Amino acid sequence: MNALITTAVFGIVLMFVGLFVKNKQQIKYFAIAGTILAFIANWYDGTLAGGSTVLLHGMVEVSRFSVLFNGVAIASTFLYFLLCGSAFERVGEDVADYFALVFFILSGIMLSGSFSNMLMLFLAIEIISIPQYILAGADKKNLKSNEASLKYFLTGSFTTGILLMGIALLYGATGTFNIREMGLGAGDLSPLALCGIILLAFALAFKVSAAPFHFWTPDVYDGSPTVFTAFMATVVKAASFIAFMRLFYVSFTGGSLTHHWQLIIALITAATLLIGNFTAVFQQSVKRMLAYSSIAQAGFMLFAIVSDNEMATQGMILYAAAYSVATIGVFAVLLKMKDYTFDGYNGLARKEPLLALVTTIFLLSLAGIPLTAGFFAKYFVLSAAVQAGGLLWLVILGVLCAAISAYYYFRVIMAMYFKTGDAETLPITGGFKAALLLAAAIVITLGVFPGLLLQFL
Amino acid sequence: MLTVLLILIPLITGLITFGLKGPGAKVFSLLSSLATLAVAAVAWTQFQSSPDSLQFTADWIPQLNSQFKVGLDGLSLMLVLLTTISFPLIFITVFSRSYDRAGSFYGLMLLSQAGLLGVFLAYDALLFYFFWELALIPVYFLCSMWGGERAVPVTFKFFVYTFAGSLLMLVGIIYIYFQTEGSFSWQSFTSLSLSNGEQSWLFWLFFVAFAIKMPVFPFHTWQPDTYEQSPTPVTMVLSGVMVKMGLFGVMRWLVPVLPQGVYMWQEAAIVLSVIGIIYASCIAIMQSDLKKLIAYSSIAHIGLMSAAIFANNEQSLAGVQVQMFNHGINIIGLWIIVEVIEQRLKVKNMGELGGIATYAPRLAILLVIVSLANIALPLTNGFIGEFLMFSGLFQYNPWFAAIAGIAVILAAVYMLRMLQKVLFGEANALTATTTDLKSGEMLAMACIVAVIFVLGVYPKPLLDLAAGIGLQDAVAAVITR
């Protein structure tokens, strides 16, 4: 709760700070301080929670899981500000507002792991979404940015309708909004409730950009200012997954209930893996490749949803951390490049060896190579699916897609190391390099000792 | 603790080497590889007195109940010795060369050594997988950065092949992990009894991963190009040591863990291996490219070893182990000579060579010796292993032994023809300029030739290692079931 309040209040404070402080560097430091403050508040929540605490008349439930994910999200945002914060001022004038919007998103994220009422789920999803519509269109004079914003807004509000309809149907079937009191497990499932579950699954699949609800993703991610894509594709996506997971793991689980939706989610997973990976192969721009790669990675995170067991919970946390840190890192380097195509990376290893090295570590992590966090993330979610039983076909499809993903990630590595060229970058500061090294160190540490993170669960 | 040192020395020195420049990196990595060799030698003596002291276990990922569990038995000791002997030899051979970005080159070499040793020492399935991939990544960068002009796409093909294969193996590992009630240790894997149906399909998940690495027909297509395009020191690592990962994987993990699976599919695996032997030998005869010839001859030899493993009796398994070591030594010897010829004359096509024996007699004699060892002539180290493998294969099915036996004749054909074309005949303007071996190359070749003759005449130390292996239990398990 404290983390939620801190982030929301800090967002408002930041808007006022924008009025008085004109130095953009200072605003950035202020925002970074905000994430540290939120982290401490979240830590405090964790010490209070112990097991789990229900707050606000059963609206919110703070548990170890939600505290841990909030910690991961805040830490990722901290890294994001550190690495990409300076790029905010390249988008437009209202830097403080952008930071404030990110904080509002963050306060929605704080709810995504801890809601215990479907109304709070709706609020969490909307609080996350609305600032994103604004951020997507932040580059006001750029047509592509406008298009991204409009597209995102239209499809997003459409999905909100579906989400609400799902909630309404479930309320009709069970008479409660509380996710713990629906009691769907006992007896036969009414058609009303089943429709509700399916509608919710579709709406949430849209939010996590799973196929066939992914069509907005490439255009929105490509059209939005790159610096905001970095946030939308990482922390926000992970938060949507956490909400997805929490709802389905608490309300729609147990007995035969899982079987009602498992096959549908499994098919969505398969489609997401195939579409994400195969389309990413054909991209010419690294930014667009990362957009499709985020769809492909969503396919792997869906393994955690479909498995419906304890191991999947661990896998989701690990995946959220591994994927967010690595992708933020890749985007941070992308933001420093003058040319966003693969060819723009040619010869980066000779010019900026450190940038090339850390990018390689991040990409290896995304491909799931051992010694990086991405390996254990994939390991846990795939294991969870094997443990669930009956999903072995999906697991084999998953690993084959992981092999395909190596193709497009390694294209960047090949360009950096094995091709000659003059990769032009913006000026790179020592602080930026240090932050990149910090992110790479996190990726490798979690890649050798994933227990360091999971011990908090 | 010794066992951990074997992995730690190359790992840590490898990371340090990245920061070193030119000659420093060279000397430092040579010293590091010698230190690892010394540790391996100490481990060998300890193995004879108290083998239990070589086991080491520490917690790694408590949430998964995965442990950092390493240990040495005869099989892994043999491969550890091969690895630790190979790396100093390779470093000595290329000592006079200077590589662009030497720090990274030697650093990556040492990291791949750490990965290889980890694979051979791991007794925890997840740790095994971890090192299995870890050995691959440095080699990918080595081949792509210092390889020939087509190296980048060729190496990538190699990478994707092995990566896809090992991911399938990972699925198999995960599946078995859940059957053991959550343990990755080799002991719990082997003491598990899975149903026939499960073993049947799990066999293929593991077999494909290992078959790609070995490589066994029809998974071999990455190999000739990769060998040809890689810088020669890396080719030596690949062909001398890294392909043994596949064979080792079959012996350590596939046969003991899935004995019925092996029993069900052994014939299929042997057929594939035998096809590979004949097919690769025929292509080798037609080759005019020196490096590709050796690459294909390597496929044929590995095919025989793979067939012998799946024949799965005491003699064939002992033969495979002895041969794994000897093949590694011999093929490194061959590559050293090829490297010398290629460096001096800048040609790989045998049609353009000839008459080198007159101008470089020492090179000629040594090439003849390693070639004969490669054909497994008696008195060379290749003989005993090949004899054991054939007699084991014969016990399994005389026909397979007979067909695979043709490969011995074919091997003589292509190796002797290679000698004839390269060493003898008329010298041309180019080959007349050949200079003989230099001191570093001589030193490495002298070691190899010494090993060839000593083990050819007195193979007992190797056979003792091969005999003292827990594998017999696994074989017994197959027979009794």
Side-chain angles (χ1 to χ4, degrees), chain A residues 319-357:
Chain A
Y319 217 111
Y323 168 71
S324 299
V325 174
T327 311
I328 287 173
V330 176
F331 267 110
V333 175
L334 181 71
L335 276 166
K336 295 282 179 192
M337 306 301 295
K338 285 197 173 158
D339 179 0
Y340 282 1
T341 61
F342 282 95
D343 290 338
Y345 277 79
N346 285 355
L348 186 67
R350 293 220 175 238
K351 247 184 124 181
E352 290 286 348
L354 186 97
L355 254 63
L357 177 71

Side-chain angles (χ1 to χ4, degrees), chain A residues 332-410:
Chain A
V333 175
L334 181 71
L335 276 166
K336 295 282 179 192
M337 306 301 295
K338 285 197 173 158
D339 179 0
Y340 282 1
T341 61
F342 282 95
D343 290 338
Y345 277 79
N346 285 355
L348 186 67
R350 293 220 175 238
K351 247 184 124 181
E352 290 286 348
L354 186 97
L355 254 63
L357 177 71
V358 292
T359 310
T360 306
I361 292 173
F362 297 141
L363 290 169
L364 290 179
S365 178
L366 289 175
I369 307 280
L371 208 69
T372 60
F375 167 69
F376 278 112
K378 280 209 172 64
Y379 179 85
F380 270 83
V381 292
L382 290 177
S383 299
V386 173
Q387 194 182 21
L391 291 169
L392 212 64
W393 60 276
L394 194 61
V395 176
I396 300 226
L397 181 77
V399 297
L400 292 179
C401 285
I404 296 171
S405 78
Y407 176 81
Y408 49 86
Y409 293 131
F410 271 67

